[in-house]
């Protein structure tokens, strides 16, 4: 299978992110940077949970799709995703008038399946335990002559996600001293690390799914263990990060940490009390702060809340 | 009882609102203006639900308290409120180092009682069915020599709330063509009407509590009927509006409409799907739009979502 990208020959860069800013600003919401009221000051939530489609994914997807040459657009795009990237690609494709086929696990949250369909994409479901989504997506792309859009292992996608970092620095009027970021495959984290070279970058993962954390500590990529525990963070269930995201984070001196399921629920309740719906995977950086895992520093800390797509019943159970 | 204000001799004005903008910007969050993704365009949510304290009330309270002369601040402030104004006054008082006593109904949402207490205010509870909060508050204020801060019938309070209107026009880059606003006593609505003289102003109330709507239609103030139905909108249970708010809205040519309980629940679920927690009273303008009660027009329509302070269990029941 190939992740052929027009930009494959180059590494993601800050210049690429700056070039993406204007492109992405045409379609994505400038999400608010909200002060954390209970903190002494200097702690902020970057609410990508309020992004169109309920997660940051539109940034990367649109930055990728908008760079597909006109003559190739009619063949459309194919992506695989448990939900947030699916919605990002579906929305970007709709904006650009391109057909989109999204390969999603049959047990993805209903809210994510429905929203993707509502954006006009064709959904192909598969059995997470018996089928390879990579193979299904590659076959579909080859069959249609469509472009396969990876959820994180792509230069344009990483650079699109990186616009989140440029935006928060503009909103603060300076670079934050530290950014804590939910990490699945690392596209958002790598993009922000490249966007904010002066900031300390901390990736946050659910316990047992802390493969980026361990990879950064070891200096080489290690996958999630086969016996990883069940996690509520459906958006962060990436079994193995990519060389591209890993090396950008390693070069930035990023480190990682993990949070427990109960710490994530505490963060979801806290966000609720501030008026924000945050899905489990989107709440891990806030959870790390609330659990006291981020020591006080001088300067601003930004906690990225990366998504809000959670089934109402699951959310009601956490807060009720 | 007297609502004596330093600004009582003048009417609230756009100039007063412009003077309040810098004052309020020092302490209040610039809340996001978010596009409604399902609409064709030009429909926005002004998310005052993300304001510090979970509602717009900090704007008016701070604008009032900041204009109390230094030598009178030590005696503090007294306010009565079912919750959102309570939090606004408590937070403004804490910022200015003033003591605050808040008179709240014993059956106010627990989340509002706790949050007000957490801000350092003294809470005095009363029985909504047997006691007069106006009398209790007036007695307390007289006893302490403290300033009584009304929740809507005050020039500085109205002008502070009006900063919401200036802000949305700045965010749009132009005046919206229409603003729909949740209305209890009318402080926010009157402030926005004064701030945006070019906009059509629509106040929205729960069914049976549409006294401002009827007052505007009749050209004179009429109170809520004694047999008004139970409403989930605890923030909008004002029995009678004030001459000040009524006349500002009447002069602006504002009109009103009402929404049903089920329409409010639909709006809360819709906001949830966009990542926003909105309390029942804060969701009525969005409810009016979703129910098709606001006909299409040229130009931008802003729906103010005015608060997010809802008990988790009540919220879980609506969305779950």
């Amino acid at each position: 299978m190939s992740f052929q990208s027009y930009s494959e020959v180059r590494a993601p860069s800050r210049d690429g992110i700056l070039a993406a800013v204007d492109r992405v600003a045409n379609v994505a919401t400038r999400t608010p940077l909200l002060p954390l009221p209970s903190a002494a000051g200097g702690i902020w939530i970057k609410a990508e949970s309020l992004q169109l489609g309920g997660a940051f994914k539109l940034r990367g997807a649109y930055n990728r799709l908008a760079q597909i040459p006109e003559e190739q657009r009619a063949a459309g795009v194919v992506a695989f995703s448990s939900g947030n990237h699916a919605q990002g690609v579906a929305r970007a494709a709709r904006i650009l008038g391109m057909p989109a086929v999204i390969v999603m696990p049959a047990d993805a949250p209903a809210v994510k399946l429905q929203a993707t369909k509502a954006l006009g994409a064709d959904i192909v479901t598969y059995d997470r335990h018996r089928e390879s989504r990579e193979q299904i997506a590659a076959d579909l792309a080859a069959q249609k002559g469509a472009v396969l859009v990876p959820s994180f292992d792509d230069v344009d996608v990483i650079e699109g996600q990186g616009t989140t970092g440029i935006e928060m620095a503009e909103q603060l009027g300076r670079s934050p001293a530290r950014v804590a970021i939910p990490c699945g495959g690392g596209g958002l984290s790598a993009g922000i690390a490249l966007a904010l070279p002066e900031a300390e970058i901390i990736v946050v993962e659910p316990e047992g799914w802390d493969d980026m954390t361990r990879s950064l500590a070891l200096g080489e990529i290690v996958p999630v263990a086969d016996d990883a525990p069940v996690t509520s963070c459906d958006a962060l269930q990436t079994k193995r990060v990519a060389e591209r995201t890993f090396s950008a984070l390693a070069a930035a001196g990023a480190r990682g940490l993990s949070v427990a399921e109960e710490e994530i629920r505490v963060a979801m309740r806290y966000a609720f009390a501030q008026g924000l719906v945050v899905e489990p995977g989107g709440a891990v950086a806030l959870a790390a702060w609330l659990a006291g895992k981020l020591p006080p520093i001088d300067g601003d800390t930004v906690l990225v809340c990366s998504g809000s797509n959670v089934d109402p019943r699951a959310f009601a159970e956490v807060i009720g």
Side-chain angles (χ1 to χ4, degrees), chain A:
Chain A
M1 186 187 106
S2 155
F3 282 116
Q4 186 64 43
S5 157
Y6 297 101
S7 51
E8 190 150 325
V9 289
R10 65 186 184 84
S13 69
R14 189 161 197 274
D15 282 346
I17 295 168
L18 293 173
V21 165
D22 285 343
R23 213 177 281 133
V24 169
N26 285 330
V27 301
T29 297
R30 191 176 175 90
T31 57
L33 189 70
L34 300 165
L36 217 64
S38 64
I43 314 291
W44 307 84
I45 287 177
K46 177 63 172 169
E48 278 294 295
S49 51
L50 296 172
Q51 187 51 265
L52 281 175
F56 66 96
K57 295 286 191 177
L58 176 62
R59 297 175 184 268
Y62 187 79
N63 193 46
R64 177 73 184 87
L65 267 60
Q67 295 183 74
I68 294 174
E70 279 292 344
E71 64 273 19
Q72 294 192 24
R73 290 190 182 174
V77 290
V78 174
F80 51 85
S81 159
S82 69
N84 287 335
H85 177 59
Q87 283 189 66
V89 170
R91 188 179 297 270
R94 192 178 63 169
I95 293 166
L96 293 164
M98 297 170 68
V101 180
I102 315 286
V103 181
M104 297 181 78
D107 62 351
V111 68
K112 295 186 179 181
L113 282 162
Q114 285 157 8
T116 308
K117 204 164 181 175
L119 287 164
D122 284 333
I123 312 287
V124 173
T125 57
Y126 71 100
D127 179 336
R128 273 204 299 134
H129 306 291
R130 300 189 313 122
E131 296 178 280
S132 159
R133 61 182 191 172
E134 288 83 356
Q135 193 55 53
I136 296 170
D139 289 351
L140 281 166
Q143 193 182 312
K144 294 171 185 283
V147 174
L148 190 63
V149 182
S151 63
F152 59 89
D153 190 12
D154 180 277
V155 174
D156 295 328
V157 169
I158 292 169
E159 289 177 344
Q161 320 301 28
T163 61
T164 314
I166 303 294
E167 217 175 84
M168 65 178 76
E170 284 176 2
Q171 289 168 314
L172 276 175
R174 57 189 174 271
S175 173
R178 179 170 59 186
V179 190
I181 313 156
C183 184
L188 179 62
S189 301
I192 292 175
L194 289 164
L196 301 172
E198 293 168 43
E200 179 189 357
I201 301 295
I202 297 176
V203 304
V204 187
E205 298 170 295
E207 273 182 4
W209 293 82
D210 56 343
D211 54 318
M212 184 68 94
T213 297
R214 290 184 296 116
S215 300
L216 290 169
L218 280 170
E220 62 175 19
I221 296 175
V222 287
V224 171
D226 286 336
D227 61 349
V230 171
T231 173
S232 61
C233 301
D234 62 275
L236 304 182
Q237 287 178 306
T238 309
K239 288 276 191 179
R240 187 188 179 86
V241 302
E243 184 59 38
R244 254 195 203 92
T245 50
F246 168 73
S247 54
L249 287 164
R255 67 183 180 90
L257 53 80
S258 62
V259 290
E261 288 293 312
E262 181 52 26
E263 291 168 339
I264 295 168
R265 284 192 291 271
V266 167
M268 290 173 71
R269 288 183 207 117
Y270 180 93
F272 169 80
Q274 314 309 319
L276 290 172
V277 177
V278 183
E279 65 180 283
V284 293
L286 176 60
W289 168 261
L290 294 173
K293 294 183 176 179
L294 296 171
I297 54 163
D298 285 338
D300 300 288
T301 291
V302 175
L303 311 168
V304 179
C305 283
S306 52
S308 65
N309 294 315
V310 50
D311 265 326
R313 245 168 278 173
F315 189 78
E317 215 164 276
V318 171
I319 65 155

